[in-house]
Amino acid sequence: MLPAPFIEPFSPPRRILMGPGPSDVYPEVLAAQSKPTIGHLDPLFVGMMDELKSLIQYAFQTTNEMTLAVSAPGSAGMETCFVNLVEPGEKVIVCRNGVFGERMRQNVERVGGIAVVVDNEWGEAVDADLVASALVANPDAKFLAFVHAETSTGALSDAKALCALAKQHDCLSIVDAVTSLGGVELRVDEWGIDAIYSGSQKCLSCVPGLSPVSFSPAAVEKLKARQTPVQSWFLDQTLVMGYWDASSDGKRSYHHTAPVNALYALHESLRLLAAEGLELAWQRHADMHQVLRHGLQRLGLRFVVTEADRLPQLNAVYIPEGIDDAKIRKQLLENYNLEIGAGLGALAGKAWRIGLMGYGARRENVALCLKALEEVLA
Amino acid sequence: MLPAPFIEPFSPPRRILMGPGPSDVYPEVLAAQSKPTIGHLDPLFVGMMDELKSLIQYAFQTTNEMTLAVSAPGSAGMETCFVNLVEPGEKVIVCRNGVFGERMRQNVERVGGIAVVVDNEWGEAVDADLVASALVANPDAKFLAFVHAETSTGALSDAKALCALAKQHDCLSIVDAVTSLGGVELRVDEWGIDAIYSGSQKCLSCVPGLSPVSFSPAAVEKLKARQTPVQSWFLDQTLVMGYWDASSDGKRSYHHTAPVNALYALHESLRLLAAEGLELAWQRHADMHQVLRHGLQRLGLRFVVTEADRLPQLNAVYIPEGIDDAKIRKQLLENYNLEIGAGLGALAGKAWRIGLMGYGARRENVALCLKALEEVLA
């Protein structure tokens, strides 16, 4: 026998999470998650899932029937959209203005699709004119894919305008709402979004590990008309829905064992969002951003994204000349228990990302962050 | 705006989970899971992951470097093995003696592989002679895939003998250990298993949602020699390992946001297993099975699986003639808070599956189950 390692219980410290996610989790969510595990086919659990579905629909502002939480993180939510909708040889216009647009491109290629990339600079919003030109130049494109809120840069793109363009050109839209859901205006039905995915660990302030997704009736029709099988068994929505939706005889069929306790947590976080109200949550993020913004600018920090395209919940600022990135973040973490995010991709070593997400978008967090930054930068 | 649904907090009852999983979760695991969320790149979290890796290695009895927990349930662990190892056109001998062997076959086909199925009856172990014949008849086969402990029937197959056969025929072995890990003898290195996956919610008595996996050096070599990209971005182990293992400069690269709190839970459940010791845990499952077996037979219930091939942790028994399956399970659940499992696939409506998994394999559970069954069957 290989010997058993002797390991102590893990005792994480209480951090204040102001990076790009995971965000500070609501105490009620941590409590909900530790309630007793029950069976994934228990009638009481199934009732909880029906409620959860209606809460996800509310957060997305949709009545889409195919609305659920993928049993895995946001990246799996992204993959769920691409593997279910895009068939080999189909063309997808992919907007790339940061890490996650590039990840979309990789997803398109891994399902055998053809990605036509529309590039914008890192930190810019997606340019609707460039997208319109690409749609004109590629009349055979079947999809338009873009990131609503780029977590790598803090840029917000105009999802409403982009989805309208997609419709004009008979394309289905695939939208990354990982960082936008709950933090800024997002209206799936009104804007005509066809497939959308998010993550639990951003503005929902739930534990990381789940990805709410929703497919419009047109997307479901496309999925049902596939000529080839979905390449992923685990993410095949036609199978997953046999569990999430009861069949006509009221039965649910086993697909995989649902992550029971994580779903308790998501139920609670979305319940808190519904109790606050979406519009008030959006406003709170905008308000806290204003306070943070003034403070950061007073410290002489410059935003990566121009004011008009700036996300309230993800504030990317350039690291001042001569400042040691890693050292500052280490001081914040060790002396203040405060986590802010490093730059990612093209912004690695050049920017910090300060998150104001969900439960984290509060005055006390903003005040702590500003004072701690003032002290460590002094 | 679509209106916010008004939903109360969810309060699950305290069930005793004696179905095919999820199993009863250790109270310490629920407590660990609700500790404060910290960042997935926090140095303290990264230290916890190093410990977790060594705990998974211990549970699997392996020194394999590529050992980690997939951030999704066991079905995604299965898919991780197939998408990473099997390339289009490659032949896989798949043993099918229940639901999960069939799921393996579907995985092979969805990655473009060729599945050669070796069938055994439901409730039987995989027959090594049939497998040997299939290996001889298919000298071009690259893999042998089988389920160690069939959760749908309760049959245990001889993983050691089957992996030895695979080696003789230059095949890599892919083993489903979802229900076996922690409940019966399993020695990955000694038996020469090349790729293995399990689930958190069976004999580990952790919350559902994670899948420990491990790849042998030969499997890693096969993965690195691929001619085609792994079709799943989310499950691509070459990318995932950039996060689980520090590079030579000590840095970890972001792939997806780890399910932080669920990993706390897995750390704690594997820590408890290591503290008990694997061999004692295997013995405890065997002992509790004997007590349950005698009691079930005294009630006149007949096992689906012959004694020699019977899993201690998953007891499938035929439903007696004239008994209403759903009614009995409903009575157990509502009057005793006791969940036992329904039959699955070919055994639906014909058998019950009584689990004795991990923390659930205790005298008090066995006693409750036997007395409750006696009362509802009277």
Side-chain angles (χ1 to χ4, degrees):
Chain A
M1 291 292 285
L2 297 173
F6 180 75
I7 286 171
E8 298 276 0
F10 181 59
S11 292
R14 174 78 189 85
R15 304 287 201 207
I16 298 106
L17 301 178
M18 299 184 72
S23 62
D24 270 352
V25 174
Y26 290 108
E28 296 91 333
V29 167
L30 287 176
Q33 191 196 213
S34 68
K35 289 185 179 173
T37 308
I38 63 175
H40 61 116
L41 293 167
D42 190 307
L44 295 176
F45 186 70
V46 163
M48 196 279 310
M49 287 183 55
D50 285 338
E51 292 180 352
L52 180 52
K53 179 172 166 175
S54 74
L55 286 163
I56 301 174
Q57 287 173 322
Y58 169 69
F60 276 135
Q61 287 287 294
T62 185
T63 59
N64 287 341
E65 267 308 306
M66 193 178 276
T67 298
L68 70 151
V70 174
S71 304
S75 313
M78 180 189 287
E79 193 158 319
T80 297
C81 291
F82 287 97
V83 293
N84 280 281
L85 295 179
V86 181
E87 289 197 77
E90 289 186 335
K91 201 180 260 189
V92 186
I93 311 278
V94 178
C95 305
R96 182 169 62 181
N97 62 336
V99 164
F100 296 93
E102 164 58 17
R103 187 171 295 184
M104 282 179 148
R105 186 194 65 76
Q106 292 178 26
N107 266 269
V108 170
E109 300 203 335
R110 290 193 188 216
V111 300
I114 299 159
V116 177
V117 176
V118 174
D119 267 316
N120 275 97
E121 289 298 315
W122 281 56
E124 290 179 2
V126 172
D127 183 328
D129 290 340
L130 290 180
V131 171
S133 305
L135 286 163
V136 169
N138 295 278
D140 56 337
K142 294 260 175 74
F143 302 92
L144 171 67
F146 66 89
V147 178
H148 187 207
E150 241 309 337
T151 322
S152 60
T153 66
L156 176 67
S157 291
D158 186 343
K160 186 179 179 182
L162 293 170
C163 289
L165 274 176
K167 280 257 148 16
Q168 274 171 40
H169 292 268
D170 273 334
C171 283
L172 294 175
S173 52
I174 300 179
V175 180
D176 179 319
V178 169
T179 287
S180 61
L181 182 66
V184 286
E185 186 180 12
L186 171 62
R187 301 172 190 271
V188 167
D189 286 0
E190 204 178 310
W191 296 353
I193 293 172
D194 290 301
I196 191 162
Y197 57 92
S198 188
S200 49
Q201 81 285 10
K202 308 279 185 180
C203 296
L204 303 183
S205 280
C206 179
V207 292
L210 294 173
S211 177
V213 298
S214 187
F215 289 77
S216 74
V220 173
E221 202 177 297
K222 174 78 173 76
L223 167 54
K224 288 190 173 158
R226 285 184 69 99
Q227 302 296 308
T228 54
V230 173
Q231 70 184 24
S232 169
W233 186 91
F234 175 59
L235 300 175
D236 184 335
Q237 289 308 287
T238 56
L239 302 178
V240 174
M241 287 312 286
Y243 175 61
W244 274 79
D245 276 341
S247 59
S248 51
D249 62 357
K251 286 207 179 136
R252 291 178 189 244
S253 51
Y254 162 65
H255 177 256
H256 64 271
T257 304
V260 173
N261 293 69
L263 291 169
Y264 294 169
L266 186 62
H267 179 275
E268 182 62 16
S269 70
L270 287 167
R271 211 186 63 74
L272 292 168
L273 178 64
E276 177 176 15
L278 263 179
E279 286 166 305
L280 288 177
W282 298 338
Q283 190 58 53
R284 177 169 51 82
H285 283 87
D287 292 346
M288 290 305 103
H289 165 71
Q290 287 307 328
V291 183
L292 180 70
R293 175 176 80 100
H294 288 299
L296 291 174
Q297 288 174 338
R298 219 169 294 128
L299 291 173
L301 295 167
R302 216 158 40 82
F303 273 82
V304 171
V305 178
T306 184
E307 190 166 350
D309 300 332
R310 215 172 272 167
L311 279 170
Q313 65 270 47
L314 197 285
N315 297 267
V317 288
Y318 288 110
I319 300 169
E321 289 270 333
I323 292 290
D324 182 336
D325 172 21
K327 191 177 142 196
I328 293 290
R329 284 188 291 108
K330 192 170 179 231
Q331 285 180 346
L332 292 173
L333 195 66
E334 292 184 355
N335 302 341
Y336 302 83
N337 269 311
L338 173 64
E339 179 180 272
I340 67 167
L344 189 62
L347 293 173
K350 295 183 189 155
W352 289 319
R353 292 178 296 155
I354 302 175
L356 284 174
M357 297 182 178
Y359 179 61
R362 285 174 296 152
R363 278 304 283 263
E364 53 267 51
N365 279 21
V366 175
L368 163 69
C369 179
L370 290 172
K371 191 64 187 170
L373 272 174
E374 184 191 318
E375 291 178 5
V376 295
L377 289 174
Chain B
M1 291 291 286
L2 298 173
F6 179 75
I7 287 172
E8 298 277 359
F10 181 59
S11 291
R14 174 77 189 88
R15 304 286 201 209
I16 297 106
L17 301 178
M18 298 184 71
S23 63
D24 270 351
V25 174
Y26 289 108
E28 295 91 333
V29 168
L30 287 176
Q33 191 195 212
S34 68
K35 289 186 178 171
T37 308
I38 63 175
H40 60 116
L41 293 168
D42 191 308
L44 294 175
F45 186 71
V46 163
M48 197 278 309
M49 287 182 58
D50 285 338
E51 293 180 351
L52 180 53
K53 179 172 166 177
S54 73
L55 287 163
I56 301 173
Q57 287 173 322
Y58 169 69
F60 277 136
Q61 287 288 293
T62 185
T63 59
N64 286 340
E65 268 308 305
M66 194 179 275
T67 298
L68 70 152
V70 173
S71 304
S75 313
M78 179 189 288
E79 194 158 319
T80 296
C81 291
F82 288 98
V83 293
N84 281 280
L85 295 179
V86 181
E87 289 197 77
E90 289 186 334
K91 201 180 259 190
V92 185
I93 311 277
V94 178
C95 306
R96 182 169 62 180
N97 62 337
V99 164
F100 297 94
E102 165 58 16
R103 187 172 295 183
M104 281 180 149
R105 186 194 67 75
Q106 292 178 27
N107 266 269
V108 170
E109 300 203 335
R110 289 193 190 217
V111 299
I114 299 159
V116 176
V117 176
V118 174
D119 267 315
N120 277 97
E121 289 298 315
W122 281 56
E124 291 178 1
V126 172
D127 183 329
D129 291 340
L130 289 180
V131 171
S133 305
L135 285 163
V136 169
N138 294 278
D140 55 337
K142 295 260 175 76
F143 302 92
L144 171 67
F146 66 90
V147 178
H148 187 207
E150 240 307 339
T151 322
S152 60
T153 67
L156 176 67
S157 292
D158 186 343
K160 187 179 179 181
L162 293 171
C163 289
L165 274 176
K167 280 259 149 14
Q168 273 171 40
H169 292 269
D170 273 335
C171 281
L172 295 175
S173 52
I174 300 178
V175 180
D176 178 319
V178 170
T179 287
S180 61
L181 182 66
V184 287
E185 187 179 12
L186 172 62
R187 300 172 192 271
V188 167
D189 286 1
E190 205 178 310
W191 296 353
I193 294 172
D194 290 301
I196 191 163
Y197 57 91
S198 188
S200 49
Q201 81 284 11
K202 309 279 185 181
C203 296
L204 302 183
S205 280
C206 180
V207 293
L210 294 174
S211 177
V213 299
S214 187
F215 288 76
S216 74
V220 172
E221 202 178 298
K222 173 79 173 77
L223 167 53
K224 287 191 173 159
R226 284 184 70 100
Q227 302 296 309
T228 54
V230 173
Q231 70 184 23
S232 169
W233 187 91
F234 175 58
L235 300 175
D236 185 334
Q237 289 308 288
T238 56
L239 302 178
V240 173
M241 287 311 287
Y243 175 61
W244 274 79
D245 276 341
S247 60
S248 51
D249 61 355
K251 285 207 178 137
R252 292 180 188 242
S253 51
Y254 162 66
H255 176 256
H256 64 272
T257 304
V260 173
N261 294 70
L263 291 170
Y264 294 168
L266 185 62
H267 179 274
E268 181 62 16
S269 69
L270 288 168
R271 211 186 63 74
L272 291 168
L273 177 64
E276 178 176 13
L278 263 179
E279 286 167 304
L280 288 177
W282 298 338
Q283 189 58 50
R284 178 167 51 82
H285 284 86
D287 293 345
M288 291 304 104
H289 165 70
Q290 288 308 328
V291 183
L292 180 72
R293 175 177 80 100
H294 288 300
L296 292 174
Q297 287 173 338
R298 219 168 294 131
L299 291 172
L301 294 167
R302 214 157 42 79
F303 273 83
V304 171
V305 177
T306 185
E307 191 167 348
D309 300 332
R310 216 173 270 164
L311 279 172
Q313 66 270 47
L314 198 284
N315 297 268
V317 289
Y318 288 110
I319 300 168
E321 289 270 334
I323 292 291
D324 183 334
D325 172 23
K327 190 177 143 197
I328 292 290
R329 285 188 292 108
K330 193 170 178 232
Q331 285 180 347
L332 292 173
L333 195 66
E334 292 184 356
N335 301 341
Y336 301 83
N337 269 312
L338 173 64
E339 179 179 274
I340 66 167
L344 189 61
L347 293 172
K350 294 184 188 153
W352 290 318
R353 291 179 297 156
I354 302 175
L356 284 175
M357 297 181 178
Y359 179 61
R362 285 174 295 152
R363 279 304 283 263
E364 52 267 49
N365 278 22
V366 175
L368 163 70
C369 180
L370 289 173
K371 190 66 188 168
L373 271 174
E374 183 191 319
E375 291 177 5
V376 296
L377 289 174

